[in-house]
Every structure is written in structure tokens, then in C-alpha cells.
């Protein structure tokens, strides 16, 4: 009986999560349409809806007019009634935001960081407290906290493996933050959160599979499959820099970009990305052809830009060939190359990778990680409603 009870509880939580995601995506939907789309019975859907109404995640929103029979009630998502605190922790700075479940950023704050791990932890706690105290719509609850940072994160403990820019090594960040804040807290790799953000609110919205690929500084990818993060066996999926920056693995060095050590820890040099932006300006003005970029003998483009495009090609080509995602969303310094980068990559992938993915530049900009935190906290608290302790205004 215990096993049956556990299975029933899991199914109910999975149904909750699927229902919330579909209602959020559709905006407004009838219970019968929800049951049909999720392939579950109407009585089951009604029980889930009752739970979600009690939690103020959804509400009834009038009726649909039908050609015959009784009007159908409509359910709408109550995303504006709840907020998430999202933090991007990176070298030199913390960026924090309060955003509602519809992806609307309400408040943004910044805090400087340095190399001292304990001092940075205290700064992070202070930033979260200030975000909590910021004005919010009356009655809006804070549903949880999501932190994204440039490190492998051990799950489900939320333990940070290494962030050189913040002084954290084997840092039990999730556990330590839980001592200060009595609400759900998730800690995740920043690129993973960026992928969730673009999938939920940005350039990858509605796609079955999305990879968010950031090039410069560093090279890393986050992978979303069917709306869920893919972390890999050791939660290190997407750590492309360890491969791209090592001549032993790629078979070639990137002499104009730096040696393995500098690429891995400091990323693409700023000088290289500035040259790429200048090349894009020339390309947009019609002063530079695609042939000049793709033909090494053309001699019309600086070698450092050609090498940077080669680096990007290896990153995108590897992801496209191995993952076969529907969309690859580009982020990082490489997006300064705009249409030049997109056209070069599309040209090189065409005919060389089976069914190349759609390549786009991220739509969320610097907010991709904090909006990914919104998605992750919503998913976590929907699956585990008992843990959803919230703070009202």
C-alpha cells in the first residue's frame, strides 16, 4: 500500500507540473481542453485545478462560448501574483532581480564582488534581503530564490564546485542560504538557467529542445529537452570550454585567442570580440563578403576574427551534430558579431551537419539567467508543493 500511495503522489505532482506549464503557455484554457492535451481524465484535471486555485497559481476566467451545449469554464495562469528572486553571480559582480512568473522583471539591483569567498557570501545574503524588501504589487508572494553561477553545481545538494572569480570551492551554497531564508532555494550552473530562460520566455519559446551556447568569456552550453534541463551524469553537461580550449582534444591551438590556460579561465579576449564587432559593421555595410570570411585565402579579414569564427564553428558544430537540437541560442561576446556570425555559422553547417538547428541570438540579454531562475523555481515548487513556503507582501 505504501508503494501505491507513493506512486499516486508522484503522478499527482507530475500532473500538477504539466498542468501549470500548459496553462502558463496557453494563457487561458478550459479544463476539458487541458484534460485532452495532457491525456488525463477530466476528474483528475479538476482535482489538480482545485489544488492550484488553493495555491493561487490559477483562477477561473469566465466561460468560452460554444456552438451548442453548456459554456466551458476557462482557467488562467496567475503569474503576476507570485515572484521569484533570481541572482546571477559572476566574476566581479552579483546581479539580482525580482521577476514574476510571467517573466516580467520588477526590480533589478547590482552588488560588487571580489575574490574573498566569505565576504562574497555575505554580500549575496545582503543583496537577497534588499530584493525581498523592494516594493512589490500588493499581496504578491515570493515563491523562492534561484542562483546561477559559472561553475559545475552538484545536485541536488546545490554545492558549488569552483568559481575562481568568487573564491568558492566545494561551497554548500544552497545549504548555507537555507540557514538565512526559509523558502525554496535552487543553485544551478548559469548557462543551464540561461537555456531555461530562453526556452521559457525568449528565443527558444515553444521549442522541444533548446541549447543556450555562450562564447566569450569562456565557452559553455545549457541544454533543455522537453522543458527539462539535461545535466549529464555528473551535472557537467555543456562544459565545452574544457574541450575547445585544449589543443590535445581539438587537434589545434587558437594562437590569436590565447593559450589553453588563459582561454579556460579568462575566455575570449576582449580585443578579439571588438574586432569581430568591427567586422560585423563592415559586413552590414556591404564592405565585407561572406566569401571573405569563409575563405582563408581571401585575406580581407583579420586572422584573429577568422580564428574566433573557427572557434565558434567548432562549438556550434559539435553541439549541432551531437545533440541535434531544434534551436541553438547564441550568447556571450560572440553575439557582437551579429549577422556576420549567424551567416558564417549557417554557411558552414549547411551540408556538413544533418538537419542543422535554427541559429538565433538570445532575446533576453543580461536577464537570461535570472529569468531561467524563475522557470526552475516554478518547476521545483510545482512538483513539491509542500516545500513552497512563500513570503507575502
Amino acid at each position: 500500500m505504501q508503494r501505491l500511495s507513493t506512486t499516486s503522489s508522484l503522478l499527482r505532482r507530475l500532473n500538477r507540473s504539466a498542468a501549470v506549464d500548459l496553462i502558463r503557455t496557453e494563457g487561458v484554457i478550459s479544463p476539458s481542453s487541458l484534460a485532452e492535451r495532457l491525456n488525463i481524465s477530466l476528474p483528475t484535471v479538476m482535482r489538480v485545478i482545485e489544488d492550484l486555485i488553493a495555491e493561487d497559481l490559477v483562477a477561473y476566467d469566465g466561460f468560452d462560448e460554444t456552438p451548442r451545449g453548456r459554456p466551458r469554464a476557462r482557467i488562467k495562469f496567475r503569474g503576476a501574483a507570485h515572484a521569484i528572486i533570481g541572482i546571477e553571480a559572476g566574476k566581479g559582480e552579483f546581479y539580482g532581480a525580482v521577476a514574476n512568473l510571467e517573466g516580467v522583471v520588477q526590480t533589478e539591483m547590482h552588488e560588487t564582488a571580489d575574490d574573498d569567498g566569505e565576504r562574497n557570501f555575505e554580500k549575496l545574503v545582503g543583496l537577497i534581503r534588499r530584493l525581498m524588501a523592494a516594493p512589490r504589487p500588493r499581496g504578491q508572494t515570493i515563491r523562492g530564490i534561484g542562483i546561477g553561477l559559472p561553475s559545475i553545481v552538484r545536485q541536488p545538494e546545490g554545492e558549488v564546485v569552483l568559481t575562481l572569480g568568487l573564491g568558492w570551492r566545494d561551497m554548500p551554497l544552497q545549504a548555507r542560504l537555507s540557514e538565512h531564508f526559509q523558502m525554496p532555494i535552487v543553485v544551478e550552473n548559469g548557462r543551464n538557467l540561461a537555456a531555461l530562460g530562453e526556452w521559457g520566455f525568449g528565443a527558444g519559446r515553444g521549442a522541444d529542445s533548446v541549447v543556450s551556447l555562450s562564447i566569450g568569456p569562456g565557452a559553455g552550453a545549457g541544454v533543455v529537452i522537453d522543458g527539462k534541463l539535461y545535466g549529464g551524469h555528473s551535472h557537467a553537461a555543456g562544459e565545452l570550454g574544457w574541450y575547445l580550449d585544449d589543443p590535445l582534444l581539438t587537434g589545434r591551438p587558437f594562437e590569436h585567442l590565447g593559450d589553453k590556460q588563459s582561454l579556460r579561465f579568462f575566455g575570449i579576449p576582449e580585443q578579439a570580440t571588438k574586432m569581430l564587432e568591427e567586422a560585423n559593421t563592415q559586413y552590414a555595410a556591404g564592405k565585407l563578403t561572406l566569401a571573405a570570411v569563409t575563405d582563408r585565402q581571401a585575406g580581407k579579414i583579420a586572422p584573429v576574427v577568422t580564428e574566433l569564427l573557427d572557434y565558434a564553428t567548432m562549438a556550434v558544430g559539435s553541439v549541432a551534430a551531437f545533440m541535434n537540437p531544434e534551436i541553438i541560442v547564441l550568447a556571450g561576446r560572440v553575439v557582437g558579431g551579429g549577422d556576420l556570425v549567424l551567416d558564417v555559422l549557417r554557411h558552414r553547417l549547411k551540408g556538413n551537419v544533418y538537419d542543422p538547428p535554427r541559429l538565433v541570438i538570445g532575446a533576453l540579454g543580461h536577464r537570461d539567467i535570472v529569468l531561467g531562475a524563475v522557470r526552475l523555481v516554478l518547476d521545483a515548487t510545482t512538483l513539491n508543493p509542500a516545500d513552497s513556503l512563500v513570503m507575502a507582501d
Side-chain angles (χ1 to χ4, degrees):
M1 289 298 294
Q2 179 62 38
R3 182 176 181 180
L4 180 62
S5 175
T6 301
T7 302
S8 176
S9 174
L10 176 60
L11 284 174
R12 187 161 185 171
R13 287 187 287 128
L14 290 172
N15 288 338
R16 275 173 51 92
S17 182
V20 166
D21 201 45
L22 187 53
I23 296 168
R24 183 193 70 84
T25 302
E26 294 295 321
V28 177
I29 191 171
S30 69
S32 56
S33 295
L34 194 61
E36 182 179 352
R37 296 275 296 275
L38 297 178
N39 195 28
I40 57 180
S41 71
L42 184 57
T44 298
V45 163
M46 295 308 298
R47 286 194 294 270
V48 169
I49 288 173
E50 288 174 5
D51 287 348
L52 297 178
I53 288 175
E55 205 173 322
D56 200 28
L57 273 174
V58 304
Y60 283 108
D61 184 49
F63 296 87
D64 281 332
E65 295 295 331
T66 57
R68 58 180 180 271
R70 293 188 306 173
R72 298 187 304 178
R74 297 182 303 183
I75 300 296
K76 69 175 180 180
F77 185 56
R78 291 264 299 155
H82 304 263
I84 305 293
I85 291 177
I87 306 285
E88 178 184 358
K91 185 177 181 180
E93 184 182 60
F94 296 103
Y95 160 62
V98 180
N100 68 29
L101 300 187
E102 294 174 348
V104 176
V105 174
Q106 302 171 178
T107 301
E108 296 177 288
M109 296 182 184
H110 296 263
E111 176 63 77
T112 59
D114 53 40
D115 294 328
D116 186 281
E118 281 305 306
R119 189 158 55 237
N120 284 331
F121 178 75
E122 293 303 322
K123 287 184 175 184
L124 175 60
V125 170
L127 176 60
I128 294 173
R129 293 196 190 283
R130 292 200 302 277
L131 288 166
M132 282 184 169
R136 303 193 311 278
R138 187 172 183 82
Q140 186 185 67
T141 62
I142 294 180
R143 195 171 178 85
I145 302 166
I147 316 287
L149 64 173
S151 170
I152 296 170
V153 179
R154 297 188 183 99
Q155 301 294 355
E157 303 88 350
E159 183 177 86
V160 177
V161 173
L162 176 65
T163 57
L164 292 179
L166 296 173
W168 293 341
R169 180 190 292 270
D170 298 325
M171 168 71 150
L173 185 58
Q174 184 173 298
R176 290 194 59 182
L177 287 173
S178 296
E179 296 174 0
H180 294 265
F181 306 103
Q182 303 304 307
M183 62 175 56
I185 298 171
V186 294
V187 180
E188 187 50 271
N189 172 269
R191 194 44 36 196
N192 287 347
L193 289 187
L196 270 180
E198 291 288 356
W199 174 80
F201 302 107
R205 189 165 188 173
D208 292 330
S209 53
V210 175
V211 174
S212 174
L213 175 58
S214 177
I215 301 174
V223 181
V224 174
I225 301 174
D226 293 332
K228 303 300 178 185
L229 280 176
Y230 175 74
H233 170 65
S234 303
H235 308 288
E239 294 291 326
L240 287 175
W242 293 90
Y243 153 69
L244 289 172
D245 304 340
D246 194 332
L248 182 66
L249 297 177
T250 61
R252 63 164 292 183
F254 292 95
E255 298 175 356
H256 294 286
L257 302 183
D259 58 22
K260 177 176 74 172
Q261 196 78 359
S262 62
L263 271 173
R264 180 165 297 171
F265 295 114
F266 301 104
I268 304 298
E270 186 175 354
Q271 177 189 9
T273 54
K274 286 183 177 179
M275 294 179 68
L276 182 63
E277 291 173 2
E278 176 59 30
N280 182 51
T281 300
Q282 295 179 35
Y283 182 68
K287 298 178 181 179
L288 186 68
T289 65
L290 188 61
V293 182
T294 56
D295 182 0
R296 291 177 179 275
Q297 305 304 317
K300 294 182 180 179
I301 189 169
V304 65
V305 174
T306 301
E307 193 169 90
L308 181 51
L309 291 170
D310 289 348
Y311 186 92
T313 300
M314 291 183 68
V316 172
S318 299
V319 170
F322 187 71
M323 295 298 302
N324 187 221
E326 183 178 348
I327 297 176
I328 294 180
V329 180
L330 296 179
R333 287 180 177 170
V334 76
V335 303
D339 288 340
L340 170 63
V341 171
L342 291 176
D343 287 347
V344 167
L345 293 176
R346 288 165 181 159
H347 175 82
R348 292 180 175 181
L349 262 59
K350 186 177 181 180
N352 295 311
V353 173
Y354 178 76
D355 191 18
R358 183 155 60 93
L359 298 178
V360 297
I361 290 175
L364 302 180
H366 71 283
R367 294 171 167 174
D368 55 358
I369 290 176
V370 297
L371 290 179
V374 170
R375 282 295 319 177
L376 191 59
V377 173
L378 174 60
D379 289 345
T381 55
T382 302
L383 273 174
N384 300 287
D387 297 334
S388 303
L389 302 175
V390 294
M391 186 182 79
D393 184 32

